[in-house]
Amino acid sequence: MTVIEAGGGWLVVDGDATLAGPFSTNAEAWRAVDRLEGSPISPAEKRADWIASKILSAGLAPTRVETKPKSKKGKRQAKRMKRAAAKAPKWLRTGAAATFDPQGNRAYREWQLGTFGAASPVRRVDPAEYLKGKA
């Protein structure tokens, strides 16, 4: 693999085949050669690549839609509920958090299917058929 200068920039070539490019600078082209050959890169660059791959693989962040109470009474009630929730005992808060369903439309937890052991017949349940039967 080598780098050559062509009309609009620098190209990474191997024999007659163009592998990458065009790059605006010679340094960018040689960096591409290093990546293609699997040569070690600096720790900072490894870290940046790792972070970028995690961000890109995660997809878009879910958007939160908050409804604001319009009336004075609604604002007061929301504030009172938050205050009361903060004063609740720890065992109640953890239990409520474990069973709270923010979307309010899941009657059961799909992720719990098949968690009863290797020999369990539940492991052989097709989730699509199960959901079709529940509807």
Side-chain angles (χ1 to χ4, degrees):
M1 266 186 265
T2 187
V3 174
I4 61 169
E5 187 176 10
W10 299 86
L11 298 173
V12 177
V13 295
D14 190 16
D16 294 333
T18 301
L19 300 177
F23 296 100
S24 57
T25 63
N26 189 13
E28 288 178 12
W30 281 109
R31 175 165 274 152
V33 169
D34 289 342
R35 286 178 183 270
L36 289 171
E37 290 179 342
S39 299
I41 53 179
S42 70
E45 195 173 357
K46 282 184 187 176
R47 192 177 312 113
D49 286 346
W50 181 81
I51 291 170
S53 68
K54 290 296 176 188
I55 291 171
L56 293 175
S57 67
L60 296 174
T63 57
R64 280 182 62 178
V65 178
E66 277 191 41
T67 57
K68 294 184 178 180
K70 297 185 191 289
S71 67
K72 196 172 189 179
K73 183 178 179 182
K75 288 180 186 178
R76 192 178 316 125
Q77 184 181 10
K79 195 173 189 179
R80 217 178 263 155
M81 283 174 51
K82 286 180 185 176
R83 220 180 281 133
K87 290 179 186 175
K90 173 100 177 172
W91 63 269
L92 182 61
R93 282 183 282 153
T94 56
T99 59
F100 178 66
D101 186 9
Q103 294 160 349
N105 57 6
R106 295 184 299 230
Y108 56 89
R109 305 290 181 172
E110 296 170 355
W111 52 268
Q112 287 182 339
L113 286 175
T115 58
F116 304 106
S120 173
V122 177
R123 287 211 181 252
R124 292 184 285 279
V125 171
D126 182 27
E129 289 180 19
Y130 179 76
L131 294 174
K132 196 183 300 180
K134 289 294 270 187

